[in-house]
Amino acid sequence: ELKVEQNPLFLSMQEGKNYTIYCNYSTTSDRLYWYRQDPGKSLESLFVLLSNGAVKQEGRLMASLDTKARLSTLHITAAVHDLSATYFCAVVRNAGNMLTFGGGTRLMVKP
Amino acid sequence: IAGITQAPTSQILAAGRRMTLRCTQDMRHNAMYWYRQDLGLGLRLIHYSNTAGTTGKGEVPDGYSVSRANTDDFPLTLASAVPSQTSVYFCASSREAGETQYFGPGTRLLVL
């Protein structure tokens, strides 16, 4: 059974600070996704990581994947209030097509 | 505007009643999915369909059924609702199975 764990579950940070969200998964995977969800809203796709060492960046967010360690990170640089949301990672099992989601990290960025 | 629509937006339902949540996409995506989102549990896959005419069970399929008569529509039916089915339900689609999924706005369901 594929298990996906995120930490921290909740993160409160000041504007301008840097921080990293971690996503660990239990079995081999060839695809990992990061999504953002604003309160009461749907999920928005941020990144898809397809290979070991893959790195994607969009604005203040950068995601990376280490398939050997079964670990993905979402790094936040110089956080701003608009980044406040819940972030989910989701993993596709090798030779499969179903996503298994982590429990989410709720990020609050304070002015 | 291309995307996924879900109906209803929200619903209060008496236990034991039958309910169908509707999902329609106009992106001509082959694969469609139903998830439920519960506080502290993230999203869990209920059922999926890799292409019109086929369906499969996800992580939490009990108490739910789906059909996929055509590419665009993927309704989710609760045959006899129970309070534990109180949740937010999201429909999603992807061009092909396993590719990036795009989510609908969700249906908030309260079963009393």
Side-chain angles (χ1 to χ4, degrees):
Chain A
E1 179 188 354
L2 174 59
K3 293 186 178 179
V4 182
E5 294 185 351
Q6 289 181 234
N7 69 83
L9 299 180
F10 179 76
L11 176 59
S12 178
M13 57 191 299
Q14 296 293 127
E15 280 192 329
K17 298 293 186 182
N18 304 333
Y19 208 82
T20 300
I21 298 171
Y22 298 88
C23 173
N24 291 90
Y25 53 96
S26 61
T27 63
T28 305
S29 173
D30 56 7
R31 215 169 310 162
L32 187 142
Y33 298 87
W34 282 97
Y35 286 87
R36 167 182 173 147
Q37 185 179 35
D38 291 300
K41 302 294 185 180
S42 187
L43 281 79
E44 172 191 356
S45 175
L46 294 174
F47 302 108
V48 54
L49 302 167
L50 300 175
S51 61
N52 188 43
V55 177
K56 295 272 185 81
Q57 183 164 4
E58 180 73 31
R60 301 175 188 273
L61 300 177
M62 183 174 70
S64 65
L65 178 62
D66 181 344
T67 57
K68 294 179 182 177
R70 297 176 185 168
L71 170 69
S72 179
T73 60
L74 181 66
H75 187 72
I76 303 153
T77 301
V80 293
H81 179 69
D82 286 351
L83 290 179
S84 297
T86 298
Y87 293 85
F88 291 95
C89 65
V91 176
V92 177
R93 190 169 30 219
N94 271 1
N97 55 33
M98 290 193 289
L99 283 183
T100 299
F101 280 80
T105 296
R106 185 179 173 197
L107 172 66
M108 290 184 60
V109 181
K110 299 180 178 179
Chain B
I1 298 176
I4 300 177
T5 57
Q6 292 185 237
T9 303
S10 64
Q11 182 75 43
I12 299 174
L13 187 66
R17 298 297 294 268
R18 180 184 179 90
M19 174 77 188
T20 295
L21 308 185
R22 300 185 298 277
C23 175
T24 300
Q25 55 100 0
D26 62 2
M27 297 178 282
R28 306 305 295 172
H29 284 177
N30 280 320
M32 297 186 74
Y33 315 84
W34 274 105
Y35 294 89
R36 59 178 290 172
Q37 184 176 31
D38 302 293
L39 195 63
L41 292 177
L43 279 85
R44 293 180 292 169
L45 182 66
I46 304 171
H47 285 287
Y48 66 94
S49 169
N50 288 338
T51 190
T54 69
T55 63
K57 293 182 179 180
E59 183 183 357
V60 288
D62 294 343
Y64 305 94
S65 63
V66 292
S67 61
R68 186 89 184 278
N70 57 61
T71 298
D72 298 345
D73 301 299
F74 191 42
L76 176 74
T77 297
L78 289 67
S80 179
V82 295
S84 62
Q85 291 178 311
T86 294
S87 188
V88 180
Y89 290 87
F90 286 100
C91 178
S93 71
S94 62
R95 191 174 64 94
E96 300 293 344
E99 296 186 2
T100 300
Q101 295 183 17
Y102 299 90
F103 285 78
T107 293
R108 286 151 184 77
L109 180 66
L110 174 62
V111 182
L112 298 175

